[in-house]
Amino acid sequence: MKPLLTLAALTLAVSMQAQKVGRMDELQPQQKADALHLTLCGKLTIQGNSDFRQLRDLCWQLQTLDLSEADCQRVPDNALHSRARLQEVVLPRGVRSIGSQAFFACRSLRSLVLPRALEEVGTMAFAQCEGLEELTIEGAPRLGEFALSGLGSLRRLRVLSAVPPQACASTFEGVDRRCVKLEVPEGSEELYRRAEGWSRFYAEPANPNLVCRPAEVLVPAPASLQLTEGAPLSLRRRWTVEADPALDNEREQAQLLVNTRLALLQPTSRSPKGIIRLALNPALDDDEAYRLEVGADGIRLEGRTPAGVFYALMTLDQLLRADGSSACCEFMPRLMIDDAPRTHIRELMVDPCRTFIPFEQLKAFVPEMARYKLNALHLHLVDDQAWRIEVKAYPQLTAQASSRVGMDDMLRPDSGFYTQEQMRELVAYAARYHVQVVPEIEMPGHEVAAIHVFPQLTCHAKRVPLRTTCGVSDELLCPASEFTYEFLGNVFRELADVFPSPYVHLGGDEAGNPALDCWTSCPACQGLKQRLGITTTDRSENWKLQEYLFNRVIDTLRTKHGKTPMFWYETDFKRIPKGCVTFAWRHGLTRAAIDAAVANEARIMLCPGEHCYLDYPMAPGDMPEVNWGMPVTSLKQTYELDPAWGMDETFERQNLFGVAGTLWSECINSPERIYYQAYPRALALSEVGWSPARVRSWTDFCRRLKPTVRDMQRRGISCSLAW
Ligand code: ACM
Ligand code: ZN
């Protein structure tokens, strides 16, 4: 039987969970991590490691937050973004403005009062607070775009102001008026009935009769778009989808598009028929090329392969949403689009190691990528902080190395791994969206999780805990130990089949840069150097040992599994094995990586930090406000990436593999925040990778971005607005 808690211990336990303090700095790290109920009554800060950043990122269990007495006029952007456990918030009595996405997806919030002093509620401030049942608005704040959208549980909305607060047509998007009781002061109903945004509580919002303007909506921009003669096609029709038998998957995707967009126009039995015809066309000159034609009474989509037809559908999807203010426009001009990609791999990399991404959320990331013709999902499955993939030969890996407490200052338990069955499901699901899944098993560095379980993988069989901070560890796989090769061989034997992609990423970064000593004092490594005739002592010997290890692993991958290895480029790693793919990632070193790729007849993926590290803040002060010293990667910087890096056509044809954006997750602590970091920069990246240079323009992109982001917001997806 457990001993009873003493009164003192009980008081302590309760006090650790329910605290009243002036500011966050008065609490110890563990108190923040344990806090369930907090009252802050001091002057709150909003920049850098502010009170709000600490509430959001450090108080991961927080259920109730009382700020009523706090001195705080502004709740900053993203203040409590995606804090799913938060059930109750009392806002500062004197608060004047609430920033964009401040309470985005606080799904457990039940009721809320917007205080009288409030003047401004930002874009998507309370969007996707799906559990919110009661909302009271005491004053008359301006309510921003999508500020109160996606409130699926809302039942009672009380507004005390006789004059309707200024709202946008999108403010209450997705709120079902048949379920919500709107209470307004007596005598002011008529004003509310006529006011923008509020009118939807009295009648279904009228369809705005939108006409699509194709040149203003597509991301990535197509290679060729021509408007053709004839009256615009009215889309209120009884649509049917016809498709070649080889296009069953695309037929389903087209039907989805009919159901989620075109059906909203509510055709009647008297509406004319419309046909969406999907066909293969072998005359098109690229496997991903497509042609889309809007004619007098239907839409024809052709591709050389099913992938091309799928991309035609994704283009149609964007045309239908027009300016994003409704899910479907009414009229589409006649047009012809001929399109094909500039590069064939357009990738996003996610990192479930530093922060685990639950399986369903990982899956959900795929269709959003596909909308913008991104076609590779790179899974960083192994690192110093966790091992996230089931290996049947070594169940200890996930049993002992997929769970840890904390990451840097965030003392939040993080655990989880993917079974092979789940990964097979992901691969099949992604294939329906023409997205391939590329696994990464890091070596010889960033391998602490495996070494934690099998110390004999590293020199001196050193025992190490899982890493709980970001950075680089000194422990590397020992290239002189046969167990290293046996282990990697067994891992790849299982995974080669789970991930049918022809590519496997082997990592290779930061195992000696900064310089590490792991191999220097190891007798086995010294013996191996002698056998290999490595005599240098200027640390180039480390890279030669790495080359030996890589060559053995690459040989196994090629000969046994038919896979093409990939790795992160490091300048000191001189030879890139022919046919492999190297990733140019380090700030300022892209040209060196390109020269190495060309000299070694290798292919190169462009993901230079200054353009493609989407885990970095998009503007100063944007999330993640507290990080390890990340530079800013602005939307414009991402857009301005030249995928050919000024090289000639030969380089582009022979060496350029594609473009990739990274989403390392040291500072991304919820699935919703992966989208926030990825978008809108992933849209810029998709255009970099897809569109020919002659159709790209930054100002034009910014214009086309608006309907795209609006459509994301309407669908409840978070993205950074710091542009
Ligand atoms: C990397 O960012 N360490 C490849
Ligand atoms: Zn060694």
Side-chain angles (χ1 to χ4, degrees):
M1 205 172 111
K2 279 189 183 167
L4 289 175
L5 280 177
T6 63
L7 186 61
L10 187 65
T11 311
L12 183 68
V14 170
S15 70
M16 280 175 63
Q17 296 178 343
Q19 297 274 356
K20 178 169 180 174
V21 289
R23 294 201 36 224
M24 290 303 292
D25 289 346
E26 294 164 38
L27 296 172
Q28 298 302 311
Q30 196 59 49
Q31 288 177 298
K32 295 174 194 174
D34 289 342
L36 298 179
H37 312 285
L38 268 182
T39 300
L40 299 188
C41 54
K43 187 169 172 57
L44 304 188
T45 55
I46 59 172
Q47 278 178 353
N49 194 22
S50 66
D51 289 302
F52 286 100
R53 183 269 157 179
Q54 294 185 45
L55 282 167
R56 185 192 64 215
D57 288 348
L58 309 186
C59 304
W60 63 277
Q61 306 196 69
L62 198 62
Q63 294 174 7
T64 65
L65 175 62
D66 184 350
L67 302 178
S68 56
E69 297 169 45
D71 178 358
C72 171
Q73 296 202 350
R74 175 163 176 76
V75 174
D77 294 347
N78 311 315
L80 285 139
H81 189 285
S82 55
R83 293 305 88 181
R85 295 184 186 221
L86 201 56
Q87 295 169 13
E88 197 183 324
V89 174
V90 185
L91 290 165
R93 212 168 284 135
V95 69
R96 307 274 284 270
S97 70
I98 295 178
S100 63
Q101 303 185 62
F103 295 88
F104 176 81
C106 289
R107 300 184 202 279
S108 302
L109 274 186
R110 290 280 168 266
S111 66
L112 186 70
V113 176
L114 300 184
R116 188 170 299 280
L118 194 61
E119 294 168 2
E120 184 95 44
V121 180
T123 303
M124 287 186 105
F126 295 93
Q128 305 303 312
C129 288
E130 290 168 342
L132 196 68
E133 293 167 4
E134 271 202 49
L135 173 63
T136 302
I137 305 178
E138 292 184 341
R142 277 186 302 281
L143 301 170
E145 297 253 26
F146 301 97
L148 295 157
S149 62
L151 306 186
S153 301
L154 193 65
R155 295 295 170 266
R156 185 169 183 219
L157 173 52
R158 280 197 321 141
V159 195
L160 307 192
S161 168
V163 177
Q166 190 183 321
C168 312
S170 66
T171 296
F172 296 100
E173 179 74 35
V175 174
D176 185 347
R177 76 181 169 92
R178 289 162 304 185
C179 304
V180 182
K181 184 162 183 285
L182 174 65
E183 297 170 28
V184 299
E186 236 182 272
S188 58
E189 283 89 354
E190 208 37 48
L191 280 177
Y192 276 83
R193 190 185 293 277
R194 284 187 277 120
E196 179 159 31
W198 298 100
S199 56
R200 72 158 61 228
F201 290 99
Y202 299 89
E204 286 303 313
N207 197 299
N209 273 345
L210 280 180
V211 182
C212 171
R213 295 196 172 82
E216 294 180 15
V217 298
L218 297 177
V219 177
S224 158
L225 183 161
Q226 286 185 331
L227 298 184
T228 51
E229 297 274 305
L233 176 69
S234 159
L235 296 170
R236 183 169 294 127
R237 286 168 188 269
R238 289 173 294 133
W239 288 100
T240 48
V241 180
E242 292 180 357
D244 296 356
L247 295 171
D248 275 353
N249 173 56
E250 287 63 39
R251 182 209 302 273
E252 270 179 44
Q253 298 283 0
Q255 194 57 52
L256 199 65
L257 200 147
V258 170
N259 299 347
T260 54
R261 297 224 188 255
L262 288 158
L264 301 177
L265 298 175
Q266 298 181 325
T268 65
S269 56
R270 291 200 304 277
S271 304
K273 286 185 180 170
I275 294 177
I276 295 178
R277 171 88 193 130
L278 312 180
L280 292 173
N281 177 353
L284 296 174
D285 60 6
D286 186 286
D287 279 352
E288 292 180 298
Y290 71 88
R291 174 170 291 171
L292 190 161
E293 186 178 2
V294 176
D297 50 13
I299 302 169
R300 184 175 175 85
L301 304 98
E302 295 178 353
R304 186 158 93 176
T305 67
V309 175
F310 179 77
Y311 292 132
L313 278 166
M314 294 301 97
T315 296
L316 177 60
D317 183 62
Q318 294 191 2
L319 290 170
L320 291 176
R321 50 122 160 105
D323 71 359
S325 61
S326 112
C328 195
C329 60
E330 285 237 25
F331 297 98
M332 179 91 65
R334 309 263 192 103
L335 57 81
M336 173 77 90
I337 292 176
D338 268 298
D339 200 8
R342 178 171 180 183
T343 70
H344 286 99
I345 302 287
R346 304 165 301 276
E347 172 189 291
L348 291 183
M349 187 220 81
V350 293
D351 169 15
C353 290
R354 277 52 176 262
T355 306
F356 185 61
I357 309 168
F359 178 60
E360 288 305 326
Q361 275 97 339
L362 179 66
K363 260 176 87 176
F365 199 62
V366 170
E368 197 58 27
M369 290 174 59
R371 281 177 194 277
Y372 315 109
K373 305 183 174 71
L374 297 167
N375 67 353
L377 178 65
H378 170 168
L379 293 184
H380 183 77
L381 290 167
V382 170
D383 213 300
D384 295 334
Q385 292 82 359
W387 183 283
R388 299 295 194 193
I389 177 73
E390 175 191 32
V391 177
K392 293 185 197 292
Y394 304 117
Q396 309 93 309
L397 284 171
T398 44
Q400 296 169 29
S402 68
S403 197
R404 110 186 95 75
V405 173
M407 182 78 205
D408 297 312
D409 65 349
M410 295 175 276
L411 303 181
R412 185 185 77 126
D414 184 273
S415 63
F417 67 90
Y418 305 123
T419 64
Q420 293 188 8
E421 200 179 331
Q422 284 175 325
M423 289 297 95
R424 288 183 200 279
E425 183 182 327
L426 175 72
V427 166
Y429 178 74
R432 288 168 49 196
Y433 293 87
H434 296 276
V435 170
Q436 68 168 304
V437 181
V438 179
E440 175 178 353
I441 303 294
E442 272 261 13
M443 66 190 70
H446 288 284
E447 268 285 19
V448 164
I451 294 168
H452 170 69
V453 179
F454 296 111
Q456 65 269 40
L457 281 171
T458 192
C459 305
H460 307 292
K462 193 172 168 192
R463 292 193 168 272
V464 283
L466 290 176
R467 196 178 168 100
T468 54
T469 54
C470 59
V472 174
S473 300
D474 191 30
E475 288 73 36
L476 307 176
L477 297 182
C478 178
S481 158
E482 278 313 301
F483 180 63
T484 297
Y485 301 97
E486 179 188 322
F487 173 81
L488 293 173
N490 286 333
V491 169
F492 286 124
R493 185 171 43 74
E494 292 189 25
L495 299 190
D497 175 51
V498 172
F499 297 99
S501 164
Y503 305 102
V504 178
H505 204 293
L506 303 180
D509 57 312
E510 298 180 318
N513 187 358
L516 300 174
D517 293 325
C518 182
W519 296 340
T520 312
S521 61
C522 168
C525 284
Q526 296 309 316
L528 177 61
K529 269 195 260 179
Q530 270 187 353
R531 288 201 299 286
L532 297 174
I534 300 172
T535 54
T536 49
T537 54
D538 58 359
R539 291 194 183 271
S540 65
E541 64 273 22
N542 278 359
W543 297 99
K544 291 173 186 165
L545 284 180
Q546 177 164 329
E547 184 175 27
Y548 170 81
L549 179 144
F550 260 60
N551 284 346
R552 281 187 64 172
V553 174
I554 288 170
D555 184 58
T556 304
L557 284 170
R558 281 182 164 155
T559 56
K560 290 209 171 135
H561 307 301
K563 301 282 186 187
T564 296
M566 303 172 138
F567 40 85
W568 304 105
Y569 175 75
E570 292 283 18
T571 28
D572 293 330
F573 190 69
K574 296 288 181 211
R575 285 187 289 270
I576 300 169
K578 199 169 167 173
C580 288
V581 182
T582 192
F583 280 48
W585 63 281
R586 279 192 188 269
H587 224 94
L589 286 184
T590 303
R591 184 59 205 235
I594 287 177
D595 289 346
V598 171
N600 289 280
E601 296 175 49
R603 285 177 294 169
I604 185 164
M605 180 79 108
L606 254 62
C607 53
E610 57 272 45
H611 298 280
C612 296
Y613 268 44
L614 310 185
D615 42 309
Y616 295 173
M618 199 166 89
D622 196 10
M623 286 202 289
E625 305 91 338
V626 174
N627 58 60
W628 46 259
M630 295 170 174
V632 163
T633 301
S634 71
L635 178 62
K636 190 161 192 244
Q637 271 167 270
T638 302
Y639 190 79
E640 286 178 346
L641 172 64
D642 169 7
W645 207 258
M647 303 290 288
D648 63 12
E649 223 178 284
T650 313
F651 165 78
E652 197 160 335
R653 203 174 47 251
Q654 293 182 353
N655 303 100
L656 181 62
F657 187 68
V659 294
T662 66
L663 291 156
W664 302 103
S665 69
E666 290 94 338
C667 304
I668 300 179
N669 62 22
S670 75
E672 292 84 356
R673 281 176 61 173
I674 307 179
Y675 292 85
Y676 184 94
Q677 293 301 135
Y679 296 99
R681 285 173 292 187
L683 304 172
L685 189 73
S686 87
E687 188 147 314
V688 166
W690 180 280
S691 307
R694 68 185 154 72
V695 302
R696 277 177 54 191
S697 137
W698 165 245
T699 43
D700 192 49
F701 172 74
C702 290
R703 200 158 42 116
R704 288 178 283 115
L705 195 58
K706 285 194 185 124
T708 311
V709 166
R710 207 158 221 286
D711 186 62
M712 291 177 87
Q713 292 173 333
R714 210 183 37 72
R715 292 182 290 106
I717 290 180
S718 176
C719 68
S720 174
L721 300 173
W723 43 285

